[in-house]
Amino acid sequence: MSLIQRQVLNQRSRPIRTPCDVFINHRGIDTKRTVASLLYDHLSRLNLRPFLDSKNMKPGDKLFEKIDGAVRDCKVGVTVFSPRYCESYFCLHELALLMESKKKIIPLFCDIKPSELRALDTGSVPEMAVKRFNAALEEAKFTVGVTFDSVKGNWSDVVTSVSDIVIDSLMEVQDQEEQLRRRSTRISFPDVVQASPIVRQY
């Protein structure tokens, strides 16, 4: 069974109810017109609910409230690292929030090596924020991801590859959530027997 077939069956039997399934964290100036938008469109066609700021936000939305809510609601994050990614406070804030929320992250290193990722202390951002951002970047560096060279690579191939990983990750996260729900609601027979004398005392 193909990944797409599995996702369709998964959608029918266990619909994902969160407002945002996949949060796409990216640097707009580098990737909004290319991989970020292509990935958003591809995931939408698969009946998923991706979040991309330019697609999901409208005039009047409060920036941090909307984005932070989408990060907390999502099940998987796709982080598109690019040459000017670390210059953006918003990109780094979103990445840090994804890491702190313990979301599953799929890094896409687009025209940049993991070793090149670093938040610089320019004085315009509090020192604690720079430390927070670099801690998130360090965690991302040691997360297995996808590398892409926009000069030599094929956009369609990388979007399809990342989408397949997203589908598998969503199914994995959903299975883990269901296992946790079953464990939390299961009452074993010994527990009932042990509790019954206490009940009779009253």
Side-chain angles (χ1 to χ4, degrees), residues 73-86:
D73 286 340
C74 79
K75 292 182 179 294
V76 173
V78 175
T79 298
V80 185
F81 292 110
S82 56
R84 299 185 66 180
Y85 178 94
C86 290

Side-chain angles (χ1 to χ4, degrees), residues 24 34-44 50 78 80 159 162-163:
I24 303 173
T34 53
V35 68
S37 290
L38 290 170
L39 183 60
Y40 176 91
D41 291 341
H42 191 78
L43 292 172
S44 295
V78 175
V80 185
V159 166
V162 172
S163 296

